[in-house]
Amino acid sequence: MNNDQQSGSPSRGGRGGSRTREAAKSAKGAKSAKGADREETGPAEPGRKKDPGKRGVKAAATGDASAVRVVFLGGLGEIGRNCACIEVDGRILVLDVGIMFPDPDMPGVDLVLPDFTYLRENSDRVDGVILTHGHEDHTGGLAYLLRDFPVSVYGSELTLALARNRVDEAGMVDRAKFIPVRDGERRRIGPCDVEFIPVTHSVPHAFATAFHTPQGVILHSGDFKLDLHPVDGRRTDLARMGALAADEGVRLLLADSTNAEEPGFTPSESTVGETLRKVFLARPDRRFIVTCFASHIHRVQQVADAAIAGGRSVATLGRSMQKNVALARRLGLLHIPDRSLVDIEGIDKLDPGQVCVISTGSQGEPMSALSRLAIGENRFFKLREDDVVVISAHPIPGNEWSVGRVIDSLHRRGVEVVHSGVESVHVSGHARQGELAILMSVTRPEFFIPVHGEYRHMANHVRLAESMSIPADHILLCEDGDAVRLDGSGLRRDGSVPGGYLFVDGSSVGDIGHGVLRDRMVLAEEGVVMAVATVDLKQGEVVGAPQIVTRGWAYDQDTEALIDEARVQVTKALEQALASGTHDHETLNRVARKALGRLVGDRTRQRPMIVPVIVTV
Ligand SMILES: [Zn+2]
Ligand SMILES: [Zn+2]
């Protein structure tokens, strides 16, 4: 099969595969049975630049039938929308389906998803989705993938419960079969055994995954850190990883690069508890509001413990916090005695020194509980001058500005704000260089690919691997859309698939492209100037004066005169065009746009969007 998938340009933000969908469909029809993709065309020469058009979306097409393929759909080049495919024997296991929050240059975009073209076109080969942990950048895209096809989903009980939230909201729950797995479990999923190895992270019950493939063990770290004193005592199972390395050998390691730029070790989560205790103790008579991620159950536990130790009761604020606290208590992952929990509406009856509110909004989200509190618009209670707000989180990239604004608003209310720049009330959930080096030294991988991170994080991770004596030609720096192939002769690149951004705006998925975003940016920054003109084609003249309409465009006294002149210039340009015999609509539009654009540009040095509306009679 020679489907021309690659030319469906995996460019960022494009609707990557739409052009090539038909080709893939016909290719699918020609496929006789599972594994038919493994056409015998002889092994590719290593290092030879392969014709990308001949491979990519369909499985590997070279000799070694036991070759394993890994395809990266997201998370390599950005923080978020993590998604990869592990392909054994022509079958696909999907590892994580995450979302990313939009950058400031994506106005109006609610979420960013991995490009699902490849999965959609190969849905008959997908045997399951494995979720490493419950964070939205690993699970939030599931609801959207389920629109394309139903699937079995594997993960820890908590991970599945967290992932279900969005799936439920989207009404897609019937299309997913949720299958919980336990720590250390090894189970057959589709073509290979998958082992779920406990790791510590900023959400409980996260897994690294080991895929036992015909090409040896592929170990994916997932998001992890090496916390030696985790709040629940469940440590990263380095012993098991070491045993895998000793017994079978780790053929390929894929590891979290988020903190690969940071030297040293990420402190233990339990250090936050000690800091919180001190912060509470130093302010015994004041009311506390602590904000953190609602999925960070261990953080919630430590806030609750510190509060209760100081004689306080705990109330939750924010829908996801209430939901997750209830869920985690039900699963036995969060221990807060009933007598220490109070309803948020009851806290005004208590002394300030008896209250600790645990709230959402650590990312400065405008509609979140903390943001509403900061502007005095929370309906449950109002902040008072002697309140203390603890921000027990770091802004994720892109949210710094919003968080800063919330902190400003809090200070305006006279509230004391304790954040990680003031006291160590937050630690990361990701491994720094020291921990990454330990992982490499324990697993002794033959090949290595850094995953999860911006390009600079992955580049640093490559340097670290080289410093750990992994030969440079055993390391690949991949990006979204890249595919690699592991076989008897080693690891090499194997074409690419559409790996661009898929934008969600309201209920529309993938309908916004780069053109729309560019228009929105221009509208946001410069506004719009429209010229509405009626043209009489028979008489060759403009009927009446064109109307000039502006929105969001800088306006001053001179603008009146400019608008008058615009009417004249647009009329002149159109009548000149008509006189030279131009009658087609598109050309008249272009003529009007040019005349108006030139005038506005020359006079104001601004570049608003210019929209001509020509009505012909
Ligand atoms: Zn995570
Ligand atoms: Zn992550």
Side-chain angles (χ1 to χ4, degrees):
M1 77 207 57
N2 189 10
N3 53 339
D4 190 284
Q5 284 307 307
Q6 285 294 317
S7 52
S9 132
S11 71
R12 228 150 237 208
R15 299 171 57 183
S18 56
R19 193 155 74 76
T20 57
R21 206 160 296 154
E22 292 313 309
K25 265 186 199 145
S26 58
K28 220 178 263 180
K31 191 165 65 171
S32 56
K34 164 185 154 187
D37 298 332
R38 286 182 273 101
E39 224 172 318
E40 300 292 320
T41 57
E45 298 158 39
R48 182 173 66 101
K49 183 89 183 133
K50 292 180 223 97
D51 172 10
K54 294 224 166 65
R55 53 184 68 238
V57 162
K58 286 290 163 177
T62 50
D64 190 344
S66 68
V68 173
R69 207 161 171 252
V70 184
V71 181
F72 300 104
L73 296 182
L76 279 72
E78 68 262 306
I79 302 287
R81 61 173 208 137
N82 295 290
C83 187
C85 310
I86 313 287
E87 303 190 15
V88 177
D89 197 19
R91 309 298 298 170
I92 299 175
L93 295 179
V94 182
L95 190 63
D96 288 333
V97 190
I99 52 167
M100 184 174 85
F101 294 102
D103 291 338
D105 64 352
M106 304 172 189
V109 172
D110 301 327
L111 295 173
V112 186
L113 298 170
D115 188 327
F116 290 139
T117 305
Y118 178 70
L119 290 175
R120 197 165 46 235
E121 289 175 353
N122 293 278
S123 59
D124 56 331
R125 299 202 284 125
V126 174
D127 281 328
V129 170
I130 294 162
L131 301 177
T132 58
H133 64 285
H135 282 154
E136 293 219 288
D137 58 327
H138 295 255
T139 64
L142 185 59
Y144 299 92
L145 182 66
L146 288 168
R147 289 181 174 196
D148 290 335
F149 56 93
V151 78
S152 295
V153 184
Y154 301 83
S156 69
E157 200 179 8
L158 175 69
T159 301
L160 296 183
L162 291 171
R164 274 185 81 129
N165 286 336
R166 267 181 195 272
V167 175
D168 277 337
E169 278 168 23
M172 288 286 153
V173 77
D174 293 342
R175 294 172 68 81
K177 192 171 164 210
F178 291 98
I179 302 161
V181 293
R182 292 180 316 275
D183 282 6
E185 187 172 335
R186 175 171 170 162
R187 72 183 293 161
R188 189 97 188 156
I189 304 177
C192 67
D193 275 9
V194 184
E195 204 177 324
F196 296 86
I197 303 173
V199 292
T200 47
H201 184 43
S202 40
V203 60
H205 287 192
F207 288 131
T209 38
F211 297 85
H212 295 264
T213 79
Q215 292 300 330
V217 172
I218 297 178
L219 179 64
H220 192 294
S221 74
D223 283 1
F224 84 107
K225 68 191 271 190
L226 298 181
D227 192 337
L228 298 180
H229 301 283
V231 171
D232 60 357
R234 175 186 177 274
R235 280 191 288 267
T236 298
D237 196 348
L238 281 176
R240 179 57 198 151
M241 294 183 193
L244 276 174
D247 298 343
E248 300 162 56
V250 172
R251 194 81 199 290
L252 169 63
L253 173 68
L254 308 157
D256 177 10
S257 309
T258 309
N259 276 350
E261 279 187 313
E262 311 283 328
F265 293 78
T266 298
S268 168
E269 175 62 29
S270 52
T271 61
V272 175
E274 290 161 34
T275 308
L276 285 171
R277 246 172 264 260
K278 274 185 234 152
V279 170
F280 278 68
L281 216 59
R283 300 159 181 82
D285 302 322
R286 296 168 65 185
R287 195 166 64 166
F288 270 84
I289 296 93
V290 184
T291 179
C292 66
F293 271 110
S295 61
H296 203 334
I297 305 301
H298 291 153
R299 189 64 54 82
V300 174
Q301 179 74 66
Q302 298 196 95
V303 174
D305 287 351
I308 293 165
R312 294 170 189 269
S313 294
V314 173
T316 54
L317 183 63
R319 203 165 58 97
S320 57
M321 188 62 78
Q322 278 157 353
K323 211 167 163 179
N324 287 357
V325 163
L327 168 70
R329 289 181 84 214
R330 197 168 66 239
L331 294 179
L333 297 171
L334 178 66
H335 308 280
I336 306 177
D338 285 336
R339 62 175 184 283
S340 296
L341 272 177
V342 288
D343 199 86
I344 189 73
E345 286 165 78
I347 59 167
D348 280 337
K349 294 191 203 92
L350 299 169
D351 288 339
Q354 296 178 314
V355 175
C356 174
V357 176
I358 306 179
S359 162
T360 55
S362 66
Q363 297 300 308
E365 309 93 321
M367 298 311 288
S368 69
L370 186 68
S371 296
R372 316 285 305 169
L373 273 182
I375 55 171
E377 279 184 8
N378 193 285
R379 64 194 163 103
F380 297 111
F381 76 106
K382 301 257 172 284
L383 285 174
R384 294 190 296 239
E385 276 213 348
D386 53 356
D387 285 343
V388 184
V389 170
V390 179
I391 300 179
S392 186
H394 251 319
I396 51 179
N399 291 346
E400 295 88 348
W401 183 83
S402 323
V403 173
R405 220 171 54 152
V406 170
I407 293 177
D408 276 348
S409 303
L410 291 168
H411 278 293
R412 278 204 184 90
R413 304 200 155 257
V415 169
E416 181 184 358
V417 183
V418 179
H419 55 77
S420 58
V422 181
E423 297 264 11
S424 309
V425 289
H426 174 72
V427 296
S428 168
H430 297 271
R432 289 191 192 163
Q433 287 172 356
E435 295 150 274
L436 297 172
I438 288 178
L439 181 72
M440 262 176 226
S441 110
V442 166
T443 56
R444 287 176 281 146
E446 187 181 340
F447 296 98
F448 171 65
I449 299 174
V451 295
H452 297 359
E454 312 252 7
Y455 195 85
R456 65 178 185 281
H457 303 139
M458 299 191 296
N460 268 285
H461 208 172
V462 166
R463 264 174 229 130
L464 180 78
E466 284 170 356
S467 80
M468 299 291 295
S469 307
I470 299 183
D473 60 353
H474 282 214
I475 303 170
L476 280 182
L477 180 45
C478 296
E479 291 188 85
D480 296 339
D482 286 351
V484 300
R485 173 189 158 87
L486 184 64
D487 61 21
S489 60
L491 177 75
R492 59 176 176 272
R493 294 185 189 275
D494 193 24
S496 61
V497 308
Y501 288 162
L502 185 65
F503 297 113
V504 179
D505 180 4
S507 60
S508 99
V509 179
D511 292 334
I512 330 177
H514 260 257
V516 173
L517 289 183
R518 219 172 19 241
D519 285 355
R520 286 182 183 177
M521 291 298 277
V522 172
L523 288 170
E525 285 172 10
E526 305 274 0
V528 58
V529 178
M530 276 193 287
V532 187
T534 307
V535 167
D536 186 333
L537 289 179
K538 270 207 203 103
Q539 301 297 324
E541 62 182 29
V542 176
V543 184
Q547 251 186 298
I548 308 291
V549 183
T550 76
R551 287 287 181 277
W553 185 49
Y555 218 88
D556 59 27
Q557 285 106 338
D558 300 336
T559 316
E560 268 325 307
L562 181 59
I563 284 179
D564 285 341
E565 195 176 341
R567 289 197 182 100
V568 174
Q569 295 287 347
V570 170
T571 305
K572 210 166 98 187
L574 284 171
E575 287 186 343
Q576 260 170 19
L578 290 165
S580 67
T582 305
H583 277 187
D584 83 288
H585 207 256
E586 212 168 293
T587 313
L588 291 174
N589 259 320
R590 199 162 52 232
V591 163
R593 180 188 291 118
K594 210 167 154 192
L596 183 58
R598 193 190 298 131
L599 180 70
V600 169
D602 284 353
R603 294 294 170 79
T604 65
R605 302 275 151 228
Q606 293 166 353
R607 305 215 143 271
M609 182 179 289
I610 304 289
V611 182
V613 181
I614 308 294
V615 183
T616 50
V617 292

